[in-house]
Amino acid sequence: GDNAWRLPQMHMGWPWLPESRLNELLPPTLSLQRLHAAVIDKGCYPGQEIVARLHYRGGSKRHLHGVELSQPASAGEALQIDGREVGCLLDVLRQEDRIDALAVLHDEVVSQARGGRLDVFDAQAGIRLCTAWPP
């Protein structure tokens, strides 16, 4: 019941995957190398070949971001712009005066953000980009 530990973990970029997004996202998309939670040059683990191939062929085009939501949303929800999925929410934490979330976003969409803001859910809501974690 106590979520006090979740906010600092969220601000550090430790992703918790909602059940609906399990087996969908690769370690580079979640920026797990910076946490030393995945490596590309050592060992053999499920998905390691895909992760290494992705790394050596240009990297992931989606990355983890800390965002603030303008309205409530659920973990696992797809973020859409003009009917096209541009990312998804991983973890959402509502506080008294704001809603923080971790989101995986397409790099192309992030580069088009105006003033660090994006209109999502087909312009019915907005997100403010707070933190970006490189691969």
Side-chain angles (χ1 to χ4, degrees):
D2 180 13
N3 289 322
W5 61 271
R6 286 180 59 204
L7 187 60
Q9 198 172 51
M10 184 182 288
H11 287 169
M12 289 186 297
W14 285 86
W16 286 89
L17 301 182
E19 196 168 322
S20 63
R21 296 293 174 167
L22 293 176
N23 300 318
E24 262 187 42
L25 303 168
L26 294 170
T29 303
L30 300 171
S31 305
L32 292 181
Q33 291 92 329
R34 71 185 167 76
L35 300 172
H36 304 288
V39 293
I40 58 161
D41 59 351
K42 178 182 171 190
C44 187
Y45 54 88
Q48 188 269 339
E49 289 179 10
I50 295 168
V51 170
R53 190 176 312 125
L54 186 61
H55 173 78
Y56 290 113
R57 295 226 171 158
S60 179
K61 304 295 184 230
R62 300 181 299 163
H63 292 97
L64 186 66
H65 295 268
V67 300
E68 184 179 336
L69 304 175
S70 67
Q71 71 180 38
S74 300
E77 252 185 276
L79 299 173
Q80 297 182 356
I81 297 177
D82 297 328
R84 185 179 120 229
E85 186 173 324
V86 297
C88 65
L89 295 174
L90 299 183
D91 198 5
V92 178
L93 184 59
R94 186 176 188 135
Q95 300 175 61
E96 295 169 10
D97 59 343
R98 59 187 277 170
I99 304 167
D100 287 317
L102 286 179
V104 171
L105 298 168
H106 288 273
D107 294 345
E108 169 192 332
V109 171
V110 171
S111 70
Q112 296 171 1
R114 287 168 282 170
R117 297 192 175 279
L118 290 170
D119 291 327
V120 293
F121 301 123
D122 291 332
Q124 294 178 10
I127 60 174
R128 184 174 67 88
L129 302 172
C130 300
T131 309
W133 289 283

